[in-house]
Amino acid sequence: MTNSMVEQVGSARATRVLLACGVVAGPLYVAVTLIQGLTRDGFDPRVHTFNVMTTGDLGWLQRTNGLLTGVLIVLFAVGVSQVLRTGRFAGWGPRLLGLYGAAIIVGGIFPSDPQPGFPAGTTAEMAQTTWHGIVHQAARGGGYVILTAASLVIAWSLAAEGRRAWAWFTVTAVPILGTAMLVAHNPLAPAANGTDNPIVRLAFFAPLGLTWAWTVAFAIHLYRRAAPAGREMRSTPAAA
């Protein structure tokens, strides 16, 4: 094996490690958030947004979750830049994806404001707006806008490569699934009867994983593509 081949194999392995970060990020965030949402006193998924768990005595758990997830997304973005290089704006997809990771990190650094009922015992009068809460909300909202833009640019690159199925999947997944999440987890919606049942309450967490579905599927797709020369595995949105 020549030095050039050794370097190529080593580069492919490094890229796959970076892409694996994208596979891990979503499940990590969802699992930690789900466990906290089902166990932290006062949290009710019918009326509280998930980011409120960054506040309170145990808020450091969700903030740490955000920090780790954000770092993993930034590393994933570096891996994406090594694979997606086709198309006029190919370089912007990974950059925007990296900014999305940075927004998650900011949301992990600054806690959100309390909401009535969480932390347990918080009244409407106690749930006041703070500067760090504003920063957290800006990072949360801005992050989704950035992710949407990243998905559109990445779809452009995928289309330029002739991977039209993945391009369409990318175009529709983030905006549609993201909107579904926002609608399904509307804190202004009336609470449903019978949601004290843990199994029924679990359904309120389902939208949490929707926006991560594309990230995981896309990361797996690129991970397979980044195999050493001659070992690339083809994948489709359905297979991933």
Side-chain angles (χ1 to χ4, degrees), residues 33-215:
T33 301
L34 177 60
I35 292 172
Q36 290 190 82
L38 292 174
T39 58
R40 289 188 64 178
D41 186 30
F43 182 80
D44 188 342
R46 298 170 296 178
V47 296
H48 296 136
T49 53
F50 299 117
N51 62 307
V52 75
M53 288 189 286
T54 58
T55 192
D57 292 339
L58 295 177
W60 65 270
L61 289 171
Q62 187 66 358
R63 292 197 298 274
T64 301
N65 187 26
L67 288 172
L68 290 176
T69 303
V71 170
L72 288 171
I73 291 298
V74 171
L75 294 174
F76 172 54
V78 176
V80 174
S81 69
Q82 302 301 312
V83 181
L84 284 187
R85 297 181 177 180
T86 304
R88 183 176 180 182
F89 305 105
W92 279 102
R95 291 171 191 166
L96 289 170
L97 200 57
L99 286 176
Y100 170 59
I104 298 176
I105 292 174
V106 172
I109 295 175
F110 299 97
S112 69
D113 292 324
Q115 297 175 9
F118 190 89
T122 301
T123 63
E125 293 75 18
M126 296 167 62
Q128 298 181 355
T129 302
T130 62
W131 67 269
H132 54 77
I134 293 176
V135 174
H136 178 93
Q137 290 288 66
R140 181 171 177 262
Y144 177 68
V145 173
I146 294 171
L147 178 60
T148 299
S151 70
L152 296 175
V153 176
I154 289 172
W156 184 289
S157 296
L158 291 169
E161 293 179 345
R163 302 174 189 269
R164 298 187 181 277
W166 273 100
W168 281 111
F169 175 58
T170 301
V171 165
T172 58
V174 175
I176 291 178
L177 295 179
T179 301
M181 183 189 74
L182 294 176
V183 172
H185 191 67
N186 179 7
L188 299 179
N193 293 326
T195 49
D196 288 336
N197 186 315
I199 297 179
V200 177
R201 284 190 65 191
L202 194 63
F204 281 86
F205 290 91
L208 176 64
L210 293 179
T211 53
W212 290 108
W214 171 79
T215 304

